[in-house]
Amino acid sequence: KAGVTQTPRYLIKTRGQQVTLSCSPISGHRSVSWYQQTPGQGLQFLFEYFSETQRNKGNFPGRFSGRQFSNSRSEMNVSTLELGDSALYLCASSPGPSTGLDTQYFGPGTRLTVL
Amino acid sequence: QKEVEQNSGPLSVPEGAIASLNCTYSDRVSQSFFWYRQYSGKSPELIMSIYSNGDKEDGRFTAQLNKASQYVSLLIRDSQPSDSATYLCAVNKGAQKLVFGQGTRLTINP
């Protein structure tokens, strides 16, 4: 079974621009979670989607948004990029709909650099 | 107090020895606990999941959970140089929100 895929793998943007990242979960998985990883803050939860609905959201500003499509693929968008948004963005999929016990499997990540 | 705490290391262990990694968490209602391994420049890879008190073994890896004391540990037996990585402890807070510790950097010395 193919793993979680994320595109693009690397991205360079300038301050003020916006960016869209894409994630395709493992076949049959319906829950997609997004995380941001930086050296200073570590891995932090952004949000989670199940059946096209956002079920949970982390403590990030409204510039960070996401959505999920009927085929469970998900996108996240960051508007008005800031230097501090430079990070590795990770997508994780799990079977769903359980919220407490499912194991999450991570994709390779998208490395975003904001100049 | 951080929700999930780990010693950042680095932890240095000779090849063939047992590596012991520890993690404490603050929320008593947490239901599931995970250990991920992350090599430099790569994404986290699941090592073990544990839900009940006690030990869970998988090959050279043993996870231990003590909900009363709110700690989770990972033992790696017969450590290999390929085990050198950062080990992340994660706690599921519900609605698929994982809260991670800062990670412990482990180095296995040949």
Side-chain angles (χ1 to χ4, degrees):
Chain A
K1 201 183 258 191
V4 180
T5 59
Q6 291 186 247
T7 57
R9 294 292 310 279
Y10 302 91
L11 208 48
I12 299 175
K13 292 287 188 178
T14 56
R15 280 180 297 174
Q17 287 187 309
Q18 77 165 24
V19 67
T20 299
L21 312 181
S22 180
C23 171
S24 291
I26 293 169
S27 177
H29 284 194
R30 295 163 62 194
S31 170
V32 173
S33 301
W34 288 91
Y35 295 84
Q36 180 197 65
Q37 187 174 32
T38 60
Q41 298 299 317
L43 260 163
Q44 293 185 288
F45 174 80
L46 281 156
F47 30 66
E48 185 258 357
Y49 287 87
F50 176 77
S51 290
E52 301 178 66
T53 300
Q54 186 182 90
R55 293 194 297 185
N56 203 352
K57 189 177 190 301
N59 295 324
F60 279 82
R63 300 185 297 106
F64 292 82
S65 63
R67 60 178 176 169
Q68 187 180 34
F69 302 95
S70 58
N71 62 357
S72 296
R73 190 177 70 85
S74 177
E75 290 181 346
M76 68 163 282
N77 185 78
V78 188
S79 62
T80 320
L81 284 165
E82 300 177 0
L83 295 179
D85 296 334
S86 294
L88 179 66
Y89 289 89
L90 292 158
C91 163
S93 83
S94 57
S98 167
T99 62
L101 300 178
D102 274 354
T103 297
Q104 294 183 35
Y105 299 92
F106 284 87
T110 294
R111 173 76 61 185
L112 172 64
T113 302
V114 182
L115 302 176
Chain B
Q1 181 189 7
K2 292 183 178 179
E3 289 190 79
V4 180
E5 297 208 53
Q6 298 179 251
N7 287 328
S8 60
L11 176 64
S12 187
V13 172
E15 184 176 356
I18 295 175
S20 178
L21 305 163
N22 299 310
C23 169
T24 59
Y25 60 95
S26 61
D27 190 347
R28 285 190 172 274
V29 302
S30 300
Q31 296 179 288
S32 50
F33 308 85
F34 305 88
W35 284 99
Y36 287 86
R37 176 175 64 196
Q38 188 172 28
Y39 293 113
S40 180
K42 301 294 185 182
S43 63
E45 170 193 12
L46 179 72
I47 298 294
M48 295 279 284
S49 61
I50 187 165
Y51 310 112
S52 305
N53 278 328
D55 295 359
K56 179 181 177 182
E57 187 175 316
D58 184 1
R60 296 186 297 112
F61 299 94
T62 299
Q64 299 174 318
L65 173 60
N66 184 322
K67 289 187 178 181
S69 301
Q70 294 175 246
Y71 87 79
V72 194
S73 63
L74 180 70
L75 300 178
I76 307 174
R77 290 181 299 282
D78 188 24
S79 296
Q80 303 297 310
S82 59
D83 295 327
S84 298
T86 296
Y87 288 79
L88 298 161
C89 171
V91 176
N92 193 319
K93 298 280 290 179
Q96 297 301 68
K97 176 182 178 181
L98 288 180
V99 177
F100 286 84
Q102 284 295 101
T104 298
R105 191 154 49 96
L106 173 66
T107 300
I108 307 300
N109 300 308

